[in-house]
Amino acid sequence: MRTTRGVGCAALLWVLIAGVTSGAGSDIADSAQRGDGAAVQRLIQQKADVNAAQVDGATALHWAVYRGDDQLLDILLRAGADVKATNREGVTALSMAALYGNAAMLDRLIKAGADAKQLGPNGETMVMLAA
């Protein structure tokens, strides 16, 4: 069981890290990837699609969680970021926050409408990812 979970977590981390070089398809996600909150805010003010995804499906919300950027997460949630958006591997911002053990982000995402009972891309519960 432990080996299977370890392999699943390693695969999920690879999926998340593989997206680091994607950098195409979304100015707002690209700005979030760089940690450029000012650019994200500027793009939101210009009515950019806050849910636009990069080639691998990563959105600005995914990047806010990946970077552990609470301020960016809140900006994106206020702008209407889709908490249920998945990348091409089926990974949501909630599953990333669970995997990273970020309780504050988990709480914010759930309050914004993320499903705490969702399953990860390999059938993992959020509790399994958090463990």
Side-chain angles (χ1 to χ4, degrees):
M1 173 75 157
R2 186 173 275 265
T3 303
T4 303
R5 186 177 68 192
V7 170
C9 288
L12 183 57
L13 281 173
W14 179 85
V15 166
L16 299 174
I17 293 169
V20 170
T21 58
S22 66
S26 171
D27 290 339
I28 200 161
D30 293 347
S31 295
Q33 178 180 358
R34 292 189 305 273
D36 190 346
V40 169
Q41 285 184 314
R42 191 169 44 255
L43 288 162
I44 289 170
Q45 290 172 347
Q46 295 170 359
K47 306 293 185 214
D49 180 3
V50 72
N51 296 308
Q54 294 173 316
V55 173
D56 66 349
T59 65
L61 197 62
H62 285 96
W63 285 109
V65 173
Y66 177 82
R67 298 179 66 79
D69 191 330
D70 295 319
Q71 183 178 8
L72 183 57
L73 179 79
D74 290 337
I75 290 167
L76 292 165
L77 291 175
R78 280 193 304 272
D82 180 5
V83 295
K84 297 178 182 176
T86 61
N87 68 12
R88 71 174 168 218
E89 301 298 329
V91 176
T92 63
L94 186 70
S95 61
M96 291 172 62
L99 181 65
Y100 300 157
N102 192 324
M105 284 190 169
L106 281 166
D107 185 55
R108 284 202 212 46
L109 289 163
I110 290 169
K111 285 179 180 173
D115 181 5
K117 294 181 181 181
Q118 77 180 38
L119 298 179
N122 295 311
E124 316 90 345
T125 66
M126 296 303 104
V127 172
M128 289 170 67
L129 289 173

